[in-house]
Amino acid sequence: MADARGISRRQAGLGALALGGGLAFASLPADPAAAAAPSRGDGRAALRHGSAREAGLLPGPLKQLVTDAEAFLQPSPRHPWYAGAVLLAGRGRTVALHKPIGMAVRYQAYDEETDSGVEFPPDRQIPMAEDTVFDLASVSKLFTSILAVQQIERGRIELEAPVASYLPDFGRAGKQDVTIRQLLTHTSGFRAWIPLYTAPTYEEKVQRVYDEALAGPPGTAYLYSDLNLISLQLVLEQVTGRRLDVLLREEITEPLGMRRTRYNPPASWKPKIAATEDARRPWSGLDRGLVWGEVHDENAYSLGGVAGHAGVFSDAWDLALLARTLLDGGVCGRRRILRPESVELMFTDFNTAFPGDEHGLGFELYQHWYMGAMATPRTAGHTGFTGTALVLDPTTDSFLVVLGNSVHPVRSWRSGSAPRVAAANQLARAVPVRPARGRTAWFSGMASAATATLALPALDTSSGVARLGCALWWDTEPKADVLVLESSADGGTTWEPVPFTTRRPGGTAEAHPTGTATGWSGRVWHDLTAELPAAPGLVVRWRYTTDRLYVGRGAYVDGLRVEKGRRRLFDEARPADAARLRAEGWSRETG
């Protein structure tokens, strides 16, 4: 389901191998091993439970991740964001956190008059468990996308080919030029959603997709649309001769050993499935009562539970297996579902023409609105309307699964993506940053709507050229959160920016003429140099300011020193100078 009809997913969160415009897949021949009859993989060989230390993570932020998540079981601000959730976080092959909280089944109905949930008797409520199965909603789109890329590998689909070359009827109403890539990157021109469930037969639903006119010319705008993945489903079923649920089983879940991932779970699974919504008009398109064990999305339900945009059920461990497989370049144990080059393309931004809507093949990229501080230009993931999210960060080899039943008992109780952001922030914080020199470095913190300063004592730079040097590490929400180097010659009454230059290991020098740093810097230490103004009592400081919404991983400063000729005016390595540093919001921490 589109998270909001007619608006971008980011707005909902608030409330490559390019050759002349084409993609080169000639280096991706069909893999005979991948095409062979799949055998059941051994998921435990790919992942294991372990401690935070074994995963290379800091235990404190992981504990805080759970504390933060539990807070959303309470009114936030009026109703709980979810009845319960399963949280999973890991790095490398170690799952360091796998924690159920709250209830999988709590409400039997929603009382519209009182805006309250009607609870089941206590003996019929079901607490969350590690293996609780969730309706993934739009996270299902990732499975459809992987299946499409598999067929691109095997030569049955071409990324830049018109969809109508596989489905001639798709070319109606001006859609003859829409390509497979545009379906995968939500640049086809489709509007967000149409009520297919009002068509009486499956055939008529498909015809509505074929007859749908575009909201704009293909390739000219980003507009998230369920119709893209529904169309891709139809392509897959046409070129393979297999239903989407069969493809999912044979090409992904059986090879990877994902035993609790499928469309249309059997009735025997129901006690282990998280309930979703008391679906009734006007908030739902269909009157179904409590949806539990069946797909929540109305269009997917009307399509028999098997749809390209929604309908997959899974649990946290299975999604962690998928995450690990993709982070490992498409392989799990002895089973390969994608070639490394294909995974690379899935994590490559094809939407460079639409800044802020970065998108790979099926995967969203660099989205702070739910990835929080895990967001990097390479971080990939997706969310689902029911309260689900999967985030993969290749930079730190970490992965996060947040599965919540946030439409239980009704979709209007939650808004925004705060629990996902909070969890991602803490997992990002759990990945240590090793100091550039010694055992500790100054850290700005990761608070939103905050300002942190790190000021040197007043220095006499009046004679000769004084230069500041240090090691700098930063990763902030681009443009919204900014690190500034500035100086004051009048005791702090006025401040002026100090231009500086940074150089990353093995890289070229980068000038910062405005004295600022923001956005992505590679999560590596940079050597910094700056020429300071001449003044008898110059105060130099770092100032880090964040807005009220999202944050990055923050900023670190290490090895501060100021030299004038051969004389050192300040050296952080000297105990006396280190003791003179003044910090407001910055902390000295061990990485």
Side-chain angles (χ1 to χ4, degrees):
M1 175 180 290
D3 279 5
R5 298 170 186 170
I7 62 174
S8 74
R9 288 161 61 73
R10 179 177 295 98
Q11 287 172 313
L14 296 173
L17 301 175
L19 298 175
L23 274 294
F25 262 92
S27 61
L28 303 180
D31 184 348
S39 60
R40 185 174 295 277
D42 181 3
R44 295 287 168 173
L47 284 176
R48 65 181 182 90
H49 285 102
S51 68
R53 298 293 184 189
E54 289 170 330
L57 297 170
L58 302 174
L62 291 186
K63 292 179 181 177
Q64 188 62 47
L65 189 159
V66 176
T67 299
D68 290 348
E70 289 175 335
F72 291 99
L73 295 170
Q74 307 303 319
S76 53
R78 183 178 177 187
H79 298 293
W81 199 87
Y82 40 40
V86 178
L87 315 165
L88 186 147
R91 191 181 187 199
R93 301 190 184 280
T94 302
V95 173
L97 172 67
H98 193 180
K99 177 73 172 178
I101 62 173
M103 305 301 294
V105 181
R106 179 176 176 181
Y107 305 101
Q108 58 184 312
Y110 168 67
D111 187 331
E112 184 179 7
E113 290 187 3
T114 62
D115 188 24
S116 62
V118 180
E119 295 189 357
F120 279 108
D123 61 347
R124 294 182 60 192
Q125 295 185 27
I126 302 175
M128 285 291 181
E130 287 186 353
D131 60 352
T132 295
V133 172
F134 287 78
D135 176 347
L136 298 183
S138 285
V139 175
S140 306
K141 292 179 171 70
L142 298 182
F143 292 94
T144 309
S145 302
I146 291 169
L147 291 169
V149 174
Q150 287 177 334
Q151 297 308 315
I152 292 171
E153 282 188 350
R154 297 169 192 178
R156 295 194 183 110
I157 299 176
E158 294 182 10
L159 189 62
E160 296 299 336
V163 178
S165 64
Y166 307 101
L167 303 170
D169 287 346
F170 181 89
R172 299 176 192 162
K175 299 195 297 300
Q176 66 276 1
D177 296 329
V178 173
T179 66
I180 297 294
R181 173 175 58 83
Q182 289 165 349
L183 295 183
L184 284 162
T185 58
H186 295 282
T187 56
S188 65
F190 268 132
R191 55 176 162 161
W193 172 92
I194 59 175
L196 296 176
Y197 54 82
T198 61
T201 67
Y202 181 88
E203 291 75 18
E204 288 175 280
K205 300 177 202 302
V206 172
Q207 291 306 313
R208 286 194 179 181
V209 176
Y210 291 162
D211 293 338
E212 176 72 9
L214 299 177
T220 61
Y222 171 87
L223 177 59
Y224 179 83
S225 174
D226 289 347
L227 300 178
N228 289 315
L229 277 294
I230 294 172
S231 300
L232 194 59
Q233 170 192 1
L234 298 174
V235 173
L236 287 168
E237 293 180 341
Q238 175 66 27
V239 302
T240 66
R242 289 178 282 174
R243 278 171 46 109
L244 189 65
D245 54 344
V246 175
L247 286 169
L248 176 70
R249 182 180 70 248
E250 294 181 349
E251 303 291 352
I252 299 179
T253 62
E254 282 190 352
L256 299 185
M258 297 172 67
R259 297 176 176 88
R260 300 181 71 81
T261 303
R262 59 169 293 165
Y263 289 101
N264 288 327
S268 61
W269 283 26
K270 185 173 180 179
K272 296 296 294 183
I273 296 176
T276 54
E277 187 175 35
D278 179 9
R280 290 182 281 118
R281 290 182 175 90
W283 57 86
S284 174
L286 297 171
D287 289 316
R288 297 169 60 193
L290 180 63
V291 179
W292 178 13
E294 293 180 320
V295 62
H296 172 260
D297 180 89
E298 296 96 331
N299 280 340
Y301 176 74
S302 75
L303 290 166
V306 179
H309 71 295
V312 176
F313 285 72
S314 188
D315 71 357
W317 186 267
D318 272 11
L319 288 180
L321 280 176
L322 180 67
R324 186 68 262 156
T325 298
L326 294 170
L327 288 169
D328 283 340
V331 67
C332 177
R334 295 187 297 273
R335 300 300 304 172
R336 177 173 292 281
I337 64 166
L338 287 172
R339 295 175 66 84
E341 300 93 329
S342 299
V343 177
E344 180 71 17
L345 284 174
M346 296 190 83
F347 292 177
T348 295
D349 180 20
F350 287 88
N351 284 1
T352 55
F354 313 114
D357 291 314
E358 291 84 350
H359 216 287
L361 300 183
F363 279 85
E364 298 171 332
L365 306 173
Y366 206 21
Q367 299 299 308
H368 284 82
W369 70 269
Y370 71 91
M371 298 175 179
M374 289 182 71
T376 78
R378 299 263 307 154
T379 303
H382 215 286
T383 64
F385 186 78
T386 51
T388 57
L390 174 65
V391 182
L392 296 72
D393 179 10
T395 304
T396 60
D397 201 29
S398 58
F399 49 92
L400 173 69
V401 181
V402 177
L403 300 180
N405 52 354
S406 66
V407 298
H408 185 54
V410 68
R411 67 189 70 187
S412 60
W413 275 18
R414 68 92 195 272
S415 63
S417 204
R420 298 168 177 140
V421 172
N425 284 350
Q426 292 301 335
L427 179 54
R429 180 70 181 84
V431 178
V433 175
R434 305 297 180 189
R437 307 180 182 92
R439 297 179 58 190
T440 60
W442 292 99
F443 175 47
S444 64
M446 292 171 54
S448 60
T451 296
T453 61
L454 175 64
L456 275 66
L459 303 171
D460 184 359
T461 61
S462 57
S463 61
V465 177
R467 289 185 174 87
L468 178 144
C470 67
L472 182 66
W473 188 109
W474 75 94
D475 174 32
T476 81
E477 185 190 4
K479 299 181 181 179
D481 301 336
V482 180
L483 179 67
V484 182
L485 179 63
E486 54 192 6
S487 65
S488 175
D490 54 12
T493 301
T494 59
W495 294 89
E496 297 293 334
V498 177
F500 59 88
T501 299
T502 58
R503 185 190 301 270
R504 63 183 296 163
T508 58
E510 179 182 356
H512 300 256
T514 62
T516 62
T518 185
W520 169 250
S521 71
R523 291 192 176 179
V524 296
W525 285 97
H526 296 241
D527 290 328
L528 178 145
T529 57
E531 186 172 315
L532 299 179
L538 188 74
V539 179
V540 180
R541 75 179 183 186
W542 287 106
R543 176 170 54 85
Y544 180 56
T545 304
T546 61
D547 69 1
R548 66 180 183 83
L549 291 176
Y550 315 117
V551 297
R553 183 58 177 80
Y556 289 81
V557 178
D558 199 8
L560 278 164
R561 63 191 183 281
V562 178
E563 299 174 337
K564 188 164 61 173
R566 294 187 177 183
R567 180 187 170 197
R568 289 208 167 176
L569 303 181
F570 181 88
D571 188 344
E572 182 188 334
R574 297 187 302 218
D577 283 351
R580 296 165 66 196
L581 280 176
R582 219 167 17 93
E584 300 170 12
W586 290 64
S587 63
R588 191 82 166 163
E589 70 164 31
T590 301

